[in-house]
Amino acid sequence: ERRREAEAQAERETREKITLPAFFETEYLPGAKLTLKADSVRKMEEHVRNWIAPAMGRIPMRDIRQFHLERLRANLAASGRSPRTMQYVFSTLRRVWNKARDKGFPLGPSPTKALDLPRVSNERQRYLSAEEADTLLEALTARSLQTAQMALLALDCGLRFSEIAALTWGCVVVDGNRLLILNGKGDKDRAVPMTARVRDLLDSM
C-alpha cells in the first residue's frame, strides 16, 4: 500500500511539473501522428522546437502565465516572423494546452485567450490576368517542365502544392472531366473540373 501511494504521489508530482515541450513529445505527439497530416505534425514540431521550447521550455505548464506568452510573441516579432506565423505558433500552443487539460493535468484555461495577436487579412488583392498566367507558364517551362505542369494545375484547378503532389491516376475522372482531391484543406474531399489544357496535359502523360 505504501509503495502504491508512493507511486501515485510520484505520478502526481510528474504531472504537476511537466513542461509543455515534454507533454508535447510524450503525450500529444503520438496521437497527433495518427490523426493529423504529416505536414501539420511537422509544422507543430517546428513551432515547439524553434519557438515555444526556447521561450518557456523549462517552466512547468501550470506556472505559465501571460507574460511568458508575451515573451514568445516578442521573440517572434524580433525575428521578423509574419503575423500569420505568430498565429500558427500560438495555435499550436493552445491545442497542446487544451489536450493536457482534457487529459486531467492541473491546468486552467489556455492563457493564449488573453493575448492580443496581430490581425491577418486574408482578402485577396487581385488575380493574375490570362496574359500574366501565360507569361508565368512560359518562364517556368524554360526552366523546369515539371514545375510548369504543377503551376498549370494550380492556376487552372485552384490546387495547393500538397494537393498536386498527392494526385494519383485514381484521382482522374476522365468521363466526368474532373479531378478528385482527397484529404484537401480541412481534411475534406472535393472534385474540381479540368480545363481543356489540363485535360491535354494529362492525356500527354
Side-chain angles (χ1 to χ4, degrees):
E1 182 66 26
R2 286 197 299 271
R3 183 172 65 252
R4 285 195 296 268
E5 178 60 29
E7 291 173 351
Q9 178 64 25
E11 182 179 353
R12 285 193 295 269
E13 292 178 356
T14 298
R15 292 169 70 86
E16 290 176 355
K17 295 178 181 179
I18 194 166
T19 64
L20 194 146
F23 176 83
F24 178 77
E25 289 291 337
T26 60
E27 303 283 345
Y28 186 90
L29 199 55
K33 289 181 177 179
L34 297 176
T35 58
L36 300 179
K37 292 183 178 179
D39 190 54
S40 297
V41 173
R42 177 186 59 79
K43 289 179 180 178
M44 294 182 75
E45 288 179 303
E46 291 177 355
H47 296 161
V48 173
R49 180 177 62 253
N50 297 336
W51 302 109
I52 297 173
M56 59 190 72
R58 297 184 178 182
I59 305 170
M61 290 184 70
R62 65 176 184 176
D63 294 334
I64 292 177
R65 299 293 182 267
Q66 186 175 349
F67 70 86
H68 295 118
L69 274 61
E70 291 172 351
R71 181 170 62 190
L72 171 59
R73 181 183 60 188
N75 291 345
L76 287 160
S79 68
R81 292 301 183 270
S82 67
R84 175 61 75 191
T85 298
M86 289 188 189
Q87 290 190 348
Y88 285 149
V89 171
F90 280 97
S91 174
T92 293
L93 192 155
R94 181 173 59 254
R95 292 175 68 173
V96 175
W97 184 282
N98 290 340
K99 176 63 70 173
R101 191 176 60 177
D102 292 344
K103 297 188 75 167
F105 283 75
L107 300 172
S110 172
T112 58
K113 291 184 177 181
L115 190 70
D116 292 327
L117 294 175
R119 294 184 177 273
V120 177
S121 173
N122 287 325
E123 182 179 357
R124 191 182 303 277
Q125 300 301 318
R126 75 177 190 89
Y127 295 87
L128 293 181
S129 67
E131 293 76 14
E132 288 171 330
D134 289 341
T135 300
L136 173 63
L137 291 174
E138 290 175 5
L140 291 175
T141 301
R143 301 186 63 175
S144 168
L145 178 60
Q146 184 182 53
T147 303
Q149 292 170 339
M150 297 176 75
L152 175 60
L153 285 166
L155 286 165
D156 282 23
C157 299
L159 302 185
R160 297 168 178 80
F161 170 77
S162 60
E163 295 170 340
I164 296 171
L167 284 176
T168 66
W169 286 114
C171 299
V172 181
V173 183
V174 177
D175 294 338
N177 204 45
R178 66 187 189 276
L179 298 175
L180 300 180
I181 309 304
L182 307 178
N183 297 319
K185 185 176 182 181
D187 293 327
K188 295 180 180 179
D189 300 341
R190 71 182 192 279
V192 297
M194 290 190 286
T195 62
R197 58 182 183 176
V198 167
R199 177 67 179 263
D200 291 341
L201 167 64
L202 295 178
D203 285 344
S204 71
M205 297 171 67

